[in-house]
Amino acid sequence: MEIKNYLDYIAPELGYPWLSSLSRQQWNTGLDQARKVLDAIGAKKGDERITLSFRHDGQKRFAVICGLKYISGFYLKKDEVWMRFYIGENFDISAYPTLHGSDFEFKDGTSLAYAKMDELDGLSQEFHQASMSDLQAFAAVSGKTRYPKSHLSWMWDVIYQAEAREDFLSYIKSKPEERILGMYRSYLAQTEGKDEWYKWELTRDFQSAWDLEASDFSTMLRSINFGNLLDNRAISFINEAAKHPDEARTYFKYLMDDSLPEGERIAGCKSRSDELLKKWRPEWTSTGQDERTLSVLWAFNDPENHIPYKA
């Protein structure tokens, strides 16, 4: 997947599962309505009144908020998508059979109304004009948004730019592995890899120090810096192994034997390390010699063919 600069691909909100449950048509309907609302109140990109946000809890929804009020958006209720509309205090909801009211009211008597997305055609032009009029009156006196930390600035481009919208829809409909690669490419592009360099520095230092034939295997093993790439259980096991150099050397030679399949070594290292732990520290419950630990050791030893892995 080609990554462009429109979206924040590492934003956790892009991983909400419900996003992919909506069809392209449903997304386009909801985003087009959001654009009409934003245009009606004269909003511009970066407008301090506006919050565009997602939720993924009891309320799976996309919201357009002005000040402290919802003014547009949609949400999922079971298998149906419902649109939100802001209406004024004197709005006659009974004139529109497909429109549903709410027990909730804002303090000034205004409220929200709802319609199923697939019943929008039942709402007349008269309704849209009336609701927009109420909305414009509110927006004219609205202050800054109360929820600036929830604002997804990149959603503005999704609403207004065709290419950004296509990227968004393609991304949320893509396979999980494509999303992961897309996120990682975006992360590297945004950070220029600066937060990743330490891993390669640790790899360089490892290769300078690592020696399975070292005469003083204990000192060699203690000299390795794993940074934050191994958990405490794995570090504790390695520190304990340094006290038993002969057994440790045999164990790590097996671990690094690339003539053996990876799956075989993963299973073998788990059973062998468990046996060693029973001898060395029987009160401990885990060696930490799992896929994450072994992948780091393999990557340090041979970065051309291995990469650190974390589930």
Side-chain angles (χ1 to χ4, degrees):
M1 178 186 298
E2 183 181 359
I3 297 299
K4 301 182 178 67
N5 296 322
Y6 295 113
L7 305 181
D8 182 2
Y9 285 90
I10 59 177
E13 292 85 359
L14 272 177
Y16 290 166
W18 71 262
L19 271 64
S20 62
S21 68
L22 272 69
S23 68
R24 281 175 168 263
Q25 181 178 350
Q26 288 171 325
W27 270 109
N28 282 320
T29 298
L31 294 171
D32 287 346
Q33 177 64 22
R35 179 170 182 166
K36 291 177 183 177
V37 165
L38 292 169
D39 285 346
I41 64 173
K44 304 296 182 184
K45 189 173 184 178
D47 194 316
E48 293 184 337
R49 298 173 298 171
I50 302 301
T51 292
L52 307 173
S53 69
F54 292 144
R55 285 183 66 170
H56 183 64
D57 47 20
Q59 301 180 48
K60 296 177 175 60
R61 58 97 173 123
F62 168 63
V64 180
I65 300 172
C66 182
L68 55 75
K69 295 183 179 181
Y70 288 97
I71 59 172
S72 184
F74 53 85
Y75 66 96
L76 275 68
K77 186 176 182 180
K78 296 183 178 179
D79 295 326
E80 295 180 315
V81 185
W82 289 75
M83 300 289 293
R84 266 196 179 108
F85 301 93
Y86 175 86
I87 56 175
E89 183 179 10
N90 299 315
F91 190 93
D92 182 9
I93 195 172
S94 64
Y96 307 97
T98 60
L99 200 62
H100 299 255
S102 169
D103 293 334
F104 171 81
E105 283 190 355
F106 296 112
K107 291 183 179 180
D108 59 2
T110 60
S111 60
L112 297 172
Y114 305 89
K116 293 180 182 179
M117 185 176 281
D118 58 8
E119 295 180 352
L120 286 183
D121 292 342
L123 295 174
S124 65
Q125 185 64 31
E126 179 186 1
F127 160 76
H128 291 291
Q129 290 174 346
S131 63
M132 289 296 184
S133 178
D134 288 339
L135 180 58
Q136 288 167 340
F138 159 68
V141 296
S142 175
K144 294 181 180 180
T145 176
R146 297 287 185 89
Y147 313 101
K149 293 182 179 179
S150 300
H151 179 55
L152 305 175
S153 58
W154 42 270
M155 276 303 293
W156 185 277
D157 290 336
V158 172
I159 292 171
Y160 276 93
Q161 296 187 26
E163 192 169 7
R165 187 180 297 192
E166 178 56 32
D167 281 357
F168 171 77
L169 294 174
S170 296
Y171 183 78
I172 62 174
K173 290 292 187 180
S174 63
K175 296 178 181 178
E177 58 268 28
E178 292 175 341
R179 292 192 191 190
I180 291 171
L181 289 173
M183 290 168 62
Y184 190 61
R185 292 190 188 105
S186 179
Y187 170 77
L188 291 179
Q190 292 180 35
T191 64
E192 296 182 344
K194 292 177 181 177
D195 293 338
E196 297 287 299
W197 281 119
Y198 80 95
K199 297 177 183 178
W200 301 105
E201 291 167 351
L202 290 173
T203 301
R204 176 200 61 201
D205 295 343
F206 175 93
Q207 293 184 333
S208 296
W210 185 251
D211 182 5
L212 286 171
E213 303 301 332
S215 57
D216 188 347
F217 194 82
S218 294
T219 299
M220 186 279 296
L221 196 56
R222 290 192 181 99
S223 73
I224 305 299
N225 178 16
F226 295 100
N228 64 347
L229 301 183
L230 299 187
D231 68 18
N232 291 332
R233 297 169 302 170
I235 293 294
S236 296
F237 176 82
I238 291 172
N239 289 338
E240 188 65 29
K243 302 175 184 177
H244 310 274
D246 292 336
E247 291 172 306
R249 190 195 306 270
T250 299
Y251 172 79
F252 285 105
K253 279 188 173 182
Y254 172 77
L255 185 155
M256 295 296 190
D257 186 354
D258 282 333
S259 68
L260 301 174
E262 292 176 6
E264 178 181 324
R265 279 184 284 165
I266 290 171
C269 283
K270 185 179 187 311
S271 61
R272 293 183 185 209
S273 64
D274 285 346
E275 291 172 3
L276 292 172
L277 199 64
K278 287 179 182 178
K279 291 175 59 178
W280 300 343
R281 300 297 294 265
E283 71 275 17
W284 290 4
T285 58
S286 174
T287 66
Q289 301 300 290
D290 55 13
E291 293 92 334
R292 177 184 178 184
T293 297
L294 303 190
S295 74
V296 170
L297 292 167
W298 291 338
F300 276 3
N301 189 56
D302 183 10
E304 292 296 324
N305 294 300
H306 295 279
I307 192 167
Y309 162 85
K310 184 178 180 182

